[in-house]
Amino acid sequence: TIEEFIERSDIYSMPTVTVHGSGTTNPEFFFHEVMDLFTTGLRIPAHMSYRAVGSGIGQDEMVGSRATAFLPATQFSSGDLPLSKDNFKAISDRGHEVAHIPLALGGIGVYVNIPEARAGDHQVVLTACDLASIFDGTYTKWSELAHEGRNKFLENVDKSIFTVHRKYGSSSTFGFTHFLKAGCPSQWSKAGGDIDWPCDSSSANCNSESSEGSGQVKAYITNNEYSIGYLSAGHSFPTELSEVAIINKAGFPVVPSSDGILAASRSIVWPEDPFQSFEDVSPINVDGDDTYPIVLVTYVYVRKDLTGLGTAAQLVKTFLTYCINEGQGLLKKYAFVKVSETARAIGMKAIENLEMPAGSMPFHLEIDAEAIVGADPFTVSMKRGSFATSSQEMMNKRVTDLETSVASIDHDGDDHDHDHDDDGHDDETSVVAIVGLVIALVDLVLLGVVLVFLRGIRRSVKEARYLSQMTRGPAVSEDHSQNSNASASAAVRTMQQT
C-alpha cells in the first residue's frame, strides 16, 4: 500500500541499527572493510564495529557472564579455533545453541629479526623441536641452531635469542603450541590458547617477553634484533623481519603459502551440524609433502536465537551471508585462503537456521544493479559508494600500477645490464619509479587520515538529522507525514494518468 511505501521510505524515522563483533585480531581488516561496505551501502542509519581483542576474549563474550545474564556481549564473535569444550558446554547447558561458521583459512608464521639473515639473503629453517628448544629456554644462542645442511650461516652468530609470545589467550598461541606438542611431543607438552610458558619474562635462563596483541608482537620483533616470535600470516611483516621455513610432518621446509594452507585444509572432516561442537576440527601438523603445519580455521560464532536483537538480527544475517559468499573474494589481500565449498555449505546451513524476530524486515543485497529494489531502505547496495571508498580504490590502482612499473623496470634491467654498463639510465628510472611509489604510499596514508575525519563528520551529520527529526515534536512529524502523503498521492496520480 502507499502507506507502507511511505513508512519504508522515511529513513529519518528509523533509529540507528547497530551490529558489533569481537574476537581474533587476524581478520580485523577484512571485517572492517566489509562493515564499511555495508554502512556505505545502506540508506538507513547503521553503525557496525569489530573489536580485535583475541580469540579468547571473543569466546568469553559469546558465552557471556553473570553481568550479561550469560547472554552474549556482542552480536557475533570470531576466533581462529573452535569454541573450547567448556565454553560450548556453558552455552548449551543454559539451553542455548551456538553455530560455528567457517570463514577463512590462515597460517601462523614464525618470524625472526637476524641482521645476518637479511644481509646474506639466508632463510632460517627450523623443526618443531628447534622451536620447542628456543621457547623453553634450552637454546639461548642463535649459533646453537646451526646444523649440517641448514642454518650454517648461524654458526658464527653468537648472539642471545629473544623470544616473544602472546600475553593473553589467542588463536595464534593455540596453533603454535599445538604444533610444538604434535611435532615434538618428547619436549613440549603444553598446548592451548593461554598457557604457562616455560620461558617468560621472570625466567633467569632465557630472554622472553609477552605482548598483548599481534601488533605488539610484530613491533617487538621489529625493534629487537635477534628476536623470534609467531604471527598470523595475515599481519604483513616489515623488511626487518625474515620468514622462517618450518619443517613439516613429511620433512620438507615450507612457509605459509596459499597452496600449503589449502593442502592442509583437505584433511578436515567437517561436522554435518553447524550447531554441534567443532572441538575435534584441526588441520595442524597433518600429512602431505607440501602441507603447511600450522593452519587455523577462522570461525564466526553466533547464537542461534537472535529474536531479541530486533532489526539488527537481520543485518547480522545478511552480513554473515556476504562474508562467506561474495566476501570470500576479499580474503586474498589479507593473506587468507577461501574455505572449501563443503565448509561454505555448512556456514550457509547455520545462517539459514538463525532465528529472527517475528515480523522483522529482511535485508537484501544488491550486487548487480536492480531498479527500485536497489533503492529500498532495507537493501545493502554494493552500487552505493562514498568519496572515501572511491578515493581508496583510485589510490590502490595507482599503487598497483606503480608496483607493476617498478617490477617491469627491474626485469628489463636484469635482462639488459650488460648492454648498459656505462650509463645509469635504467638505475635512474628505477629510482624515480620507487620514489613515485613511496610518494603514492605516503599520499595514501594521509588520505586515509582525512577520510576517517570526513567519515566522522558524515556520521555526525546523519545523527544530527535524526535527532533533529525526533525532537521537533508531533507538529513537525505531522507536517512531514503530510508532505510525504502529498508527494506519494501526486506520484500515484501521475502513474494513473500514464
Side-chain angles (χ1 to χ4, degrees):
T1 66
I2 195 67
E3 288 80 9
E4 291 173 332
F5 174 75
I6 294 169
E7 180 182 356
R8 285 170 61 84
S9 297
D10 186 6
I11 62 174
Y12 299 118
S13 68
M14 292 198 63
T16 300
V17 182
T18 61
V19 171
H20 301 291
S22 65
T24 172
T25 60
N26 297 335
E28 62 174 310
F29 302 121
F30 169 80
F31 283 136
H32 292 161
E33 179 172 0
V34 176
M35 286 176 169
D36 278 355
L37 289 173
F38 267 56
T39 53
T40 299
L42 278 165
R43 275 180 59 183
I44 61 175
H47 177 55
M48 305 177 76
S49 73
Y50 180 78
R51 289 168 49 247
V53 289
S55 295
I57 293 179
Q59 291 202 13
D60 290 343
E61 295 186 347
M62 179 50 53
V63 174
S65 65
R66 292 187 183 278
T68 66
F70 290 98
L71 294 174
T74 56
Q75 285 103 323
F76 74 92
S77 294
S78 181
D80 302 301
L81 66 161
L83 284 167
S84 68
K85 182 178 182 179
D86 290 342
N87 283 336
F88 188 85
K89 186 175 185 297
I91 294 173
S92 58
D93 282 354
R94 290 175 173 83
H96 299 289
E97 293 183 81
V98 61
H100 286 79
I101 299 176
L103 174 70
L105 302 166
I108 303 301
V110 177
Y111 302 95
V112 296
N113 183 348
I114 302 176
E116 289 82 356
R118 296 192 303 275
D121 196 24
H122 299 294
Q123 185 167 47
V124 178
V125 180
L126 301 175
T127 66
C129 287
D130 288 335
L131 288 166
S133 297
I134 290 172
F135 279 86
D136 71 5
T138 301
Y139 289 157
T140 59
K141 300 282 187 179
W142 281 109
S143 55
E144 297 176 82
L145 275 301
H147 302 291
E148 190 66 36
R150 58 185 173 89
N151 304 327
K152 287 289 289 181
F153 76 97
L154 289 175
E155 60 187 359
N156 295 319
V157 182
D158 191 32
K159 299 289 186 179
S160 295
I161 298 173
F162 296 86
T163 65
V164 60
H165 57 79
R166 291 285 290 272
K167 181 182 294 186
Y168 303 120
S170 82
S171 53
S172 300
T173 299
F174 177 92
F176 182 69
T177 58
H178 269 81
F179 166 65
L180 297 186
K181 183 177 180 179
C184 193
S186 62
Q187 188 165 346
W188 193 274
S189 60
K190 298 180 179 181
D194 188 8
I195 69 167
D196 293 325
W197 290 86
C199 185
D200 59 28
S201 56
S202 63
S203 302
N205 64 324
C206 53
N207 302 296
S208 181
E209 291 292 335
S210 59
S211 293
E212 185 172 329
S214 296
Q216 292 184 2
V217 170
K218 181 166 66 173
Y220 180 88
I221 306 172
T222 302
N223 297 326
N224 292 274
E225 291 185 344
Y226 304 104
S227 59
I228 181 172
Y230 55 90
L231 288 166
S232 165
H235 291 272
S236 58
F237 53 95
T239 55
E240 291 85 355
L241 308 188
S242 302
E243 194 169 40
V244 173
I246 298 176
I247 302 295
N248 66 13
K249 191 174 182 179
F252 296 97
V254 289
V255 294
S257 66
S258 296
D259 289 343
I261 292 170
L262 271 175
S265 72
R266 296 189 187 104
S267 69
I268 297 175
V269 178
W270 297 101
E272 294 183 3
D273 181 1
F275 295 98
Q276 72 183 69
S277 174
F278 276 52
E279 184 185 11
D280 295 329
V281 175
S282 175
I284 294 175
N285 202 44
V286 297
D287 294 325
D289 292 354
D290 57 349
T291 59
Y292 186 70
I294 318 178
V295 173
L296 298 176
V297 181
T298 298
Y299 298 97
V300 172
Y301 320 124
V302 61
R303 294 284 186 101
K304 184 176 185 179
D305 183 2
L306 301 182
T307 56
L309 299 184
T311 304
Q314 293 285 0
L315 189 54
V316 169
K317 184 176 182 178
T318 306
F319 171 74
L320 297 179
T321 300
Y322 181 86
C323 284
I324 67 169
N325 288 285
E326 295 84 1
Q328 292 285 295
L330 303 176
L331 291 171
K332 186 177 180 180
K333 71 170 78 173
Y334 302 117
F336 282 102
V337 177
K338 297 179 182 180
V339 295
S340 66
E341 286 299 312
T342 301
R344 196 176 66 82
I346 292 169
M348 283 306 302
K349 184 177 181 180
I351 293 169
E352 290 164 358
N353 282 281
L354 296 178
E355 296 172 357
M356 297 290 107
S360 60
M361 184 67 66
F363 285 85
H364 173 70
L365 269 172
E366 182 189 35
I367 305 299
D368 298 320
E370 300 177 65
I372 307 300
V373 175
D376 190 273
F378 285 85
T379 291
V380 182
S381 175
M382 295 298 126
K383 295 299 181 180
R384 280 196 179 92
S386 66
F387 177 74
T389 55
S390 298
S391 298
Q392 185 171 354
E393 286 176 3
M394 288 189 292
M395 186 61 64
N396 288 342
K397 185 178 185 304
R398 287 176 60 189
V399 171
T400 300
D401 290 345
L402 282 169
E403 289 175 337
T404 302
S405 298
V406 171
S408 176
I409 291 167
D410 288 344
H411 177 71
D412 291 342
D414 291 341
D415 288 345
H416 303 294
D417 272 350
H418 61 281
D419 294 330
H420 298 279
D421 287 341
D422 297 329
D423 66 68
H425 177 71
D426 283 354
D427 290 340
E428 292 172 2
T429 305
S430 297
V431 170
V432 171
I434 292 171
V435 170
L437 176 60
V438 171
I439 292 173
L441 291 172
V442 172
D443 192 16
L444 178 61
V445 172
L446 293 175
L447 179 62
V449 174
V450 173
L451 294 180
V452 169
F453 178 71
L454 291 176
R455 186 179 292 276
I457 293 176
R458 177 173 174 267
R459 182 177 296 158
S460 298
V461 170
K462 183 182 288 186
E463 291 177 354
R465 284 180 178 175
Y466 167 68
L467 289 173
S468 175
Q469 194 72 29
M470 295 297 290
T471 56
R472 286 178 185 171
V476 175
S477 298
E478 185 177 343
D479 290 343
H480 178 75
S481 177
Q482 290 173 351
N483 290 338
S484 298
N485 276 292
S487 299
S489 299
V492 171
R493 286 197 298 272
T494 301
M495 288 187 288
Q496 289 174 341
Q497 291 171 1
T498 58

